[in-house]
Structures are given as C-alpha cells and as structure tokens.
Amino acid sequence: NRGNIRILTYSSGNHAQAIALAATSLLGVPSTIIMPRDAPPLKIEATRSYGGDVVFYDRYTEERDAVAERVKAELSQTHGDSPKVVFVPPYDHKYVIAGQGTVGKEFIEDLTRFLPHEHPHDHDHDHDAPSDSPSASPAEPIALDYLFVCVGGGGLLSGVSLSARALSPRTKLIGVEPLAGNDAQRSLRDDRIVRIPTPNTIADGAQTQHLGELTFRIMRRCVERIVTVTDEELVEEMRFFGERMKMVVEPTGCLGLAGL
C-alpha cells in the first residue's frame, strides 16, 4: 500500500537525489530527505526537483541520527492515517551495499569484455598453436592490480570490494578518504569503528563521522588499506579532470584518482 508509506533518509546530496527520484518521482511515494544546511545548492535543488521534501540540519552541531529519529516521530504524528515511515540509510544496509557494488561488477565485466586477454602460454614457444587446438589454453580473466575507491560511510568501497573479490580476487582494494576525516583509516588500524567530529573538507560526500557496522565488517575482510588525501590534492585532480578529460567531477569523486 504505497499510499501509507513515507521514505526517510539523510544525505549530503547524492543518496538524497537517488531516493527522491526512485521513491517520489518514479513510484509516487512521499520522501523526506534530511540534508545539511550547507549542502551544495545544486544537490538541494535537484533533490527538490525530484519531489523530495528537504529538512535541514546543522552537520557541525547536530547528530544526524538523532535528527532522523525526531523527524521520523514528527512524520508519524503529523500525517494522517499513521503512515509507515521507512528509513533507507545511505550506506549501512545490505541492499544499498549490493547496489553500490554493481559499480565494481560492471567495471570489471567491461574490462573483461573489451580489453585483450592473455593466454597463460603466450610467452612459451608454442605460439604457432591455433587458438582452437586442444593444446591452446583458454584466456585468463583480466587481472586488476588495484582499485582505488572513495570512502565516506563505506557503502561504495564495501560493495565494490565484494564484487572484486568474486570477479577479480587478485585485485587489492584501496580506500581513499579526506585527510581531515580519516575515521575509516583509523578504524581499520584500530580494528574498531572510530567516531570523529564532522570533518571540514571540500569533499562533502565524505563528511561522515563514522563507518557503518556492515560496511566496517566487509572492509575489514576485503580492503587492503585506506589512504588519505588533502583538499589541495582534490582541487588538483578536479583541474586535471576538467582540463585533460573534459569532465566536471565533484571533489568527492576525485578521491580515488588523488589516492592513486
């Protein structure tokens, strides 16, 4: 019964837009999005354009989990017929992790499809053996040495690491986060979830205070290490993308290249 459901989440903008688009614009289910007051205006505008009802909070003085609980209670009381408020977290949920993991799946599958393969015996002396002869070995899958993935709450990194582990097990996963907000790096080092104040960084998509329980467990098992980069390095990579690649990439999207 979609008429009795309301979707609730919090996000600095990317997950916010996805929820508003999927729930409200496509399915007609009302959505309430809790966003930082200083979120990028373009992300706020896009979220509203998809039908999301935006509620602001101060990311530096308020705890967003507490804000979400308060908003959830208010929604249950102020809307008729006691709607069921469903909270969809931005990263710490198995379906969200699986969805974000398709990035890695599609990337590795594309490499496998379009890049040339090497045969295990390409460097032996039997180069004249026809490819369909019994002595010819099948092509080996593409072997990526490393994947550098941006880290906020860990949804993308944990999802991609699961895809890589299944499709390219030799690949080492490197997470990249802002130096000002190195909670993931400290969490893997200390073998516990480290909580920090909201970091001051231009990478608004990585201004998280801690990893999720699920994402941390996956990252402990599948991620090689976490490296950090400065805001100055992110600006340099934004310039590289713009000048050389002719692409407009937000700071958070530049974390992987900056880590490399």
Side-chain angles (χ1 to χ4, degrees):
N1 180 13
R2 293 179 182 172
N4 201 36
I5 294 177
R6 176 174 289 268
I7 304 298
L8 174 67
T9 193
Y10 49 60
S11 166
S12 65
N14 295 329
H15 182 68
Q17 295 171 70
I19 290 296
L21 173 62
T24 306
S25 182
L26 297 181
L27 297 177
V29 177
S31 61
T32 298
I33 318 295
I34 300 169
M35 301 185 70
R37 200 175 306 278
D38 62 344
L42 287 176
K43 294 183 178 182
I44 297 172
E45 180 183 346
T47 302
R48 284 174 166 162
S49 74
Y50 295 134
D53 180 19
V54 176
V55 175
F56 292 112
Y57 79 106
D58 188 326
R59 72 167 102 211
Y60 297 103
T61 62
E62 295 181 279
E63 170 57 50
R64 64 181 185 177
D65 288 319
V67 174
E69 287 299 321
R70 186 188 74 234
V71 172
K72 183 176 182 179
E74 292 173 353
L75 290 173
S76 299
Q77 295 172 1
T78 58
H79 292 272
D81 299 326
S82 300
K84 179 181 180 181
V85 180
V86 179
F87 181 76
V88 180
Y91 50 84
D92 203 35
H93 190 284
K94 62 181 181 181
Y95 292 146
V96 176
I97 294 170
Q100 297 192 12
T102 62
V103 173
K105 177 178 181 292
E106 292 173 7
F107 178 72
I108 294 171
E109 288 176 345
D110 283 347
L111 287 180
T112 304
R113 186 179 304 115
F114 297 117
L115 292 184
H117 294 257
E118 282 193 359
H119 290 271
H121 301 295
D122 275 351
H123 303 292
D124 293 345
H125 298 291
D126 59 346
H127 292 293
D128 295 330
S131 60
D132 58 349
S133 70
S135 61
S137 301
E140 290 186 327
I142 295 296
L144 294 170
D145 295 316
Y146 296 94
L147 271 177
F148 288 77
V149 183
C150 55
V151 185
L156 180 63
L157 177 56
S158 57
V160 169
S161 70
L162 290 174
S163 295
R165 195 175 198 188
L167 301 176
S168 183
R170 290 166 52 187
T171 302
K172 294 181 179 179
L173 271 292
I174 309 296
V176 188
E177 65 183 346
L179 177 62
N182 67 333
D183 60 294
Q185 185 183 62
R186 292 166 59 186
S187 295
L188 291 191
R189 181 191 64 200
D190 297 348
D191 199 30
R192 64 181 180 87
I193 296 178
V194 173
R195 297 172 182 266
I196 63 173
T198 300
N200 187 8
T201 172
I202 62 172
D204 67 280
Q207 282 185 284
T208 48
Q209 296 174 304
H210 58 83
L211 299 173
E213 296 287 344
L214 286 176
T215 59
F216 176 62
R217 291 206 299 268
I218 295 170
M219 287 166 60
R220 286 174 62 195
R221 190 170 75 250
C222 301
V223 174
E224 180 76 10
R225 67 180 182 273
I226 306 291
V227 299
T228 60
V229 297
T230 65
D231 279 4
E232 290 75 20
E233 289 172 311
L234 292 177
V235 170
E236 187 63 30
E237 299 311 330
M238 290 173 66
R239 183 179 295 112
F240 171 82
F241 275 120
E243 293 178 351
R244 304 294 180 86
M245 308 297 291
K246 312 306 178 188
M247 297 170 61
V248 178
V249 182
E250 66 173 281
T252 308
C254 293
L255 281 167
L257 182 59
L260 174 63

